[in-house]
Amino acid sequence: DFDDLAPWSEIKSCNYDITNKKVKAWFGDANFNFDGSNGDVYTYIPETYIKVYQENDYDYILISDYPKTGFTRYDSFYISRYVMKLVDGVLHSYSGLIPEFSKTISQFRTLATSLGEEFSLLDYRFFVIQMLYLVEYADYNSQSKLGTGLVNGQSAKALIAETNVNRIIVSSTNLYVGRIVAIGTDWWNTSIAINRTITKVENYTDGSVTGKVIYFDGDPVNIAVNNTIWGIGQTSGQCDELGMKSGCLINDGIHSMIYRGIENIFGNMWQFVDGMNIKDRVMYLCKDHTKYKSDFFESPYKAIGYTNGDTNGYTKTLGFDPDEPLARFPTEVGAGASSGTSDYYYQDAGNRIARVGGIFNFGLDAGLWYWSLGGTSALATFNVGCRVLIDNQE
């Protein structure tokens, strides 16, 4: 039972005061809240010792909660339970927030470091979370073990034109009350509305048209026939009821998942991973978050000892560098949604950055090993957000 086995048993969410840099309450305490009323919500990852090596065509992954010969120590840290949102110009992590988006990795980095010198974007410590999951579940197919996640696209087209309304009439829909949506001329277009919350879904008939009517909040809009309403990044907190348990409440591809206090670690929104710069498919890694810089390939950035694969597809083989044994990126594709790592890989030549996890319409492509290494540092879209880490100063 990993709930009783360190280091997993020590992983716990907390209310963290980002101003005073102190934990105010732990999950289970009477004054702990998910809603931000007692501080932001971060999840503590304890000091962990990991050894990864290859022998006789097998990968071996060993994890300890205390020092052992040949193991590498990874210091404790806090990771935001949720993808972040700007509130009054400050990045926050608590339940009920719509993810922040349309910012470059550099812009998110600036917002993260403005919180304090111990703050950074998600970085190489993502590998620690991968290893904790992999030893616990012994399966690269994280969607099969934790739930599919919020990955199945949701959209519907208007059947009727209306003016100055807070509703859209469609033939059918799997969009639900509480879902965050955008409205535009087609899928992925946001020209009519964005970040609206569905307040009600009802049956509809007017004698000639039968379907569903979807109501949403905010200012009224004008709807034309074939305008599209579609699901975008979802509000944080769908897994609050699970507390520190892993999995999902509804495993239907349109609701959130969680791994040990980290909601939507895959699916919903891409997450930038900082300290990783790629030049022509060679990964350069930096572990000093005070030195992170995009499109930079000199010290303290260090090249990983293999070249990433040059083809998009489901990952079949991961590279291995004994000097950086946790930094496992795709080198060969040709697997599928239930083989290899079971996750997709995207790449391109030139200077690139790293994103991980997949988004709200990527289906079985998504997961803990879905790497998108094809975007540039100028990338800023509605489906990429950020997660923040805090060095443990104690």
Side-chain angles (χ1 to χ4, degrees), residues 45-282:
I45 308 296
E47 176 182 293
T48 305
Y49 298 82
I50 305 177
K51 181 179 181 180
V52 178
Y53 65 98
Q54 293 183 321
E55 186 175 284
N56 297 327
D57 295 326
Y58 284 90
D59 287 348
Y60 292 86
I61 303 167
L62 292 76
I63 292 180
S64 173
D65 64 322
Y66 58 89
K68 290 178 69 71
T69 301
F71 284 60
T72 299
R73 169 180 167 164
Y74 294 89
D75 291 337
S76 60
F77 62 95
Y78 298 88
I79 179 170
S80 61
R81 185 175 173 105
Y82 311 108
V83 177
M84 310 298 286
K85 171 66 176 177
L86 270 180
V87 181
D88 296 328
V90 178
L91 284 175
H92 283 285
S93 167
Y94 54 81
S95 187
L97 297 178
I98 299 172
E100 192 68 29
F101 55 84
S102 292
K103 288 182 170 46
T104 66
I105 189 171
S106 296
Q107 289 172 322
F108 275 128
R109 182 187 304 132
T110 297
L111 289 166
T113 56
S114 69
L115 295 170
E117 62 181 9
E118 58 270 75
F119 291 79
S120 66
L121 295 182
L122 184 67
D123 60 12
Y124 72 93
R125 286 167 284 190
F126 179 77
F127 299 141
V128 175
I129 295 166
Q130 282 184 322
M131 295 302 100
L132 288 166
Y133 159 81
L134 194 54
V135 170
E136 180 175 1
Y137 285 94
D139 195 326
Y140 277 101
N141 192 341
S142 51
Q143 287 183 301
S144 72
K145 296 299 182 180
L146 301 173
T148 307
L150 207 170
V151 296
N152 290 346
Q154 298 168 273
S155 66
K157 289 186 176 294
L159 298 176
I160 298 175
E162 295 188 296
T163 301
N164 200 36
V165 294
N166 280 85
R167 69 179 196 175
I168 184 170
I169 298 165
V170 300
S171 60
S172 63
T173 186
N174 60 356
L175 290 161
Y176 51 82
V177 172
R179 187 70 173 93
I180 306 303
V181 295
I183 306 171
T185 56
D186 207 342
W187 173 260
W188 283 29
N189 181 278
T190 62
S191 60
I192 298 172
I194 193 169
N195 283 356
R196 300 297 184 90
T197 302
I198 294 177
T199 58
K200 185 168 55 174
V201 179
E202 294 181 332
N203 293 325
Y204 177 85
T205 183
D206 64 2
S208 60
V209 173
T210 299
K212 296 284 187 179
V213 55
I214 303 170
Y215 294 89
F216 49 86
D217 66 359
D219 295 333
V221 299
N222 297 330
I223 299 293
V225 174
N226 286 328
N227 280 173
T228 301
I229 183 170
W230 52 280
I232 196 168
Q234 177 59 25
T235 300
S236 58
Q238 278 195 342
C239 294
D240 288 353
E241 186 178 331
L242 288 174
M244 294 309 303
K245 296 182 183 299
S246 298
C248 56
L249 289 168
I250 307 174
N251 189 21
D252 58 1
I254 55 177
H255 287 83
S256 299
M257 54 69 61
I258 194 167
Y259 175 64
R260 291 198 172 270
I262 312 170
E263 185 177 274
N264 291 323
I265 189 65
F266 59 78
N268 193 38
M269 297 284 286
W270 281 119
Q271 298 158 77
F272 283 123
V273 188
D274 212 355
M276 299 181 186
N277 295 332
I278 306 107
K279 178 182 280 293
D280 293 327
R281 303 184 183 88
V282 174

